[in-house]
Amino acid sequence: TLRYHAPAVYDDLLDVDTRIKELSSVSIVFETAIKNDKGPLLVAGEVRVACVNKEGKLRRIPREVLDCLEKP
């Protein structure tokens, strides 16, 4: 899901901030905010990424990946 608030223009310096909003054993929700160098929010959104097997069925995210993502 994306929400557009304002446009960026050529030569704008953009700041992209992404954080983990939710973390479960099978999926991760990333929340992203994009601002320009003048400060206003341009775009906000989130995406859910799920771990699946070759058949497209949900599977657990490997423990070593979760361990890396859970570190501050």
Side-chain angles (χ1 to χ4, degrees), residues 20 22-29 49 51 59-72:
I20 295 173
E22 295 175 27
L23 181 60
S24 76
S25 61
V26 295
S27 69
I28 307 165
V29 176
V49 179
C51 191
R59 62 167 292 206
R60 291 188 177 277
I61 297 171
R63 182 77 249 168
E64 56 272 10
V65 173
L66 286 174
D67 289 344
C68 289
L69 294 172
E70 291 171 339
K71 291 180 181 178

Side-chain angles (χ1 to χ4, degrees), residues 39-63:
L41 181 64
L42 303 177
V43 179
E46 57 184 54
V47 62
R48 179 178 301 273
V49 179
C51 191
V52 296
N53 64 18
K54 292 179 183 179
E55 291 79 36
K57 296 187 184 211
L58 287 176
R59 62 167 292 206
R60 291 188 177 277
I61 297 171
R63 182 77 249 168

Side-chain angles (χ1 to χ4, degrees), residues 3-14 34-44:
R3 293 174 304 283
Y4 294 95
H5 299 278
V9 296
Y10 188 76
D11 278 347
D12 273 357
L13 180 61
L14 301 179
I34 302 174
K35 299 177 180 180
N36 68 20
D37 56 341
K38 297 165 193 73
L41 181 64
L42 303 177
V43 179

